[in-house]
Amino acid sequence: MRLIPYLIYLILIAMHQVFLQDMTSIAGVRIDLAGLIVMAIALYKSEVITLWFGLVAGVVWAAGMPDAFGWYGLLLALVGVTAFHLREKLNLESFYSKILFMLGGLVVHSMGMTIIEGGDGVMTRLWTNALPDGVYTTIVALIFLLFKDGVITYQKFKSIF
Amino acid sequence: MNWISSLFFRYWRNVHFSAVVVVSVILILNYPAINGLISQAAIGSFYYPFAKLKNLVVRLSSVDRENEMLRQSLVDASVRLSRLDEAERENLRLRAVLGFEPPTGYTLMPAQVLSISGGRIPTAAVINRGEHDSVYVNQPVINRDGLIGRISSVTADFATVQLLTDPVNRVAVRVADSREMGIAKYTSHGMILDNFPIQGDIATGQQIVSSGLGGVYPAGLIVGTVTEVERPAEAAFSNVDIAPAANFNSLEELFLLRPGGS
């Protein structure tokens, strides 16, 4: 297992936490980058990688909250491994099925994070925060999958001009 | 040993899963030593460079904002400074005006010039006094230097002063020393003393004052100073040039003469 790409993913998550999150948020709706990367790994990599990377990504994502990052790590690992097993059971050849798969995983992860955050109005925030976050991140996932599945390639892009 | 490794490989997925769960549970139990160390390591290695970069960007943008603010306050300060300069000049002018005495039988009503009209030489000025201040047509207007003109029209709050520089405005004057009389008027060559007899007693540097005979201006108001006297041969009148006492290009505070008072 090559570690470099996963380190880069972790650096990306940290970078997103520090400033990309504010720059990319629209009316308080944010991209769940950690969830997106773990879902992508669940889609394309092995169970063990998904499991461990989910845990580490959750811990890195919540590094500033030492009393809660265990929950975030466990949540992300569970979402990742569940996604992996679903991928094994389901036929995810279709582009749209991948998108739906991503949407499901990201919404569940956002909801899980909202529940871990706790506080007043958790049920409300599931709809007002978690669901929009999941949908927004799915749009980013859509762009990622378009590149990953070769629907958009550099050559195609270049041929426009 | 062999059986352990075969057991591990048979159930490796469960082993990994269990390990992840155990690690998570340890983290959830929140042992300060472990969690603190992990938190510090993660923040130090992943977050610190970006946090540093962000701080730099924030500092740069705040410097930019501060720069903009300072530039704005510099403009404000220079505007205030020029206002203070103006106030200082006004203060000096008003100090000079403070000891200014009206002619006997008149009181002074101060007025501020609002606008000046005319060509190269101003011929009329609008002041901030009108009917509400009992201003009337033909009321004499002076400043601390001398006679300025008379009121030519009045509205409720404003009045127009016909300046001595208006060619149609003539003043009955006399030479302050010799008491000889003439008419002061403004021409394209400047102020002159019209109809002054050739044998009249007049010399350069003598003061010209209003005679009070025209019925508009009271006697004794300084009109100007004789700058040149020319007595052409075989002419009935002298050519006398006068330098007006007042500077009509810098009119600001004026005084209207109101009959009454000591």
Side-chain angles (χ1 to χ4, degrees), chain A residues 82-143:
Chain A
T82 309
F84 174 82
H85 283 286
L86 280 172
R87 182 200 97 182
E88 295 279 278
K89 302 282 184 294
L90 299 171
N91 173 22
L92 290 179
E93 289 304 308
S94 149
F95 181 78
Y96 297 105
S97 62
K98 284 180 191 169
I99 290 294
L100 279 175
F101 172 76
M102 280 279 192
L103 177 66
L106 289 167
V107 168
V108 167
H109 180 239
S110 293
M111 286 181 164
M113 285 202 298
T114 306
I115 292 165
I116 293 170
E117 278 168 21
D120 294 334
V122 171
M123 293 308 286
T124 314
R125 277 190 284 126
L126 287 179
W127 299 107
T128 57
N129 292 12
L131 195 62
D133 282 359
V135 172
Y136 182 26
T137 313
T138 307
I139 293 167
V140 180
L142 173 78
I143 297 164

Side-chain angles (χ1 to χ4, degrees), chain A residues 10-11 14-15 17-19 22 47-48 51-52 55 59-61 63-64 66-67 69-71 74 77-78 81 85, chain B residues 12-13 16-21 23-25 27-28 30 34-36 38-40 42-43 46-47 50-51 53-54:
Chain A
L10 293 176
I11 289 169
M15 190 165 79
Q17 275 285 86
V18 175
F19 50 71
D22 292 336
E47 181 189 8
V48 174
L51 196 60
W52 282 108
L55 176 70
V59 170
V60 169
W61 185 87
D67 53 335
F69 61 36
W71 286 110
L74 183 63
L78 288 178
V81 84
H85 283 286
Chain B
W12 66 274
R13 289 163 70 178
H16 277 289
F17 186 77
S18 307
V20 165
V21 171
V23 171
S24 299
V25 169
L27 294 176
I28 288 165
N30 192 16
I34 300 171
N35 283 27
I38 293 171
S39 175
Q40 269 186 7
I43 288 171
F46 293 109
Y47 284 81
F50 298 114
L53 193 69
K54 188 182 181 183

Side-chain angles (χ1 to χ4, degrees), chain B residues 84-152:
Chain B
L84 283 174
D85 281 348
E86 184 57 28
E88 193 184 350
R89 279 194 293 272
E90 188 180 7
N91 193 5
L92 287 173
R93 278 200 318 273
L94 292 175
R95 268 172 198 275
V97 158
L98 206 59
F100 187 56
E101 287 291 326
T104 314
Y106 286 88
T107 54
L108 296 176
M109 186 192 344
Q112 201 76 33
V113 173
L114 299 177
S115 71
I116 295 276
S117 56
R120 192 173 54 83
I121 304 291
T123 55
V126 175
I127 57 170
N128 63 342
R129 299 286 185 183
E131 279 168 357
H132 289 154
D133 306 294
S134 308
V135 174
Y136 56 91
V137 172
N138 283 338
Q139 190 170 5
V141 181
I142 61 172
N143 75 357
R144 65 193 165 96
D145 297 320
L147 185 62
I148 295 297
R150 62 187 179 88
I151 298 295
S152 59

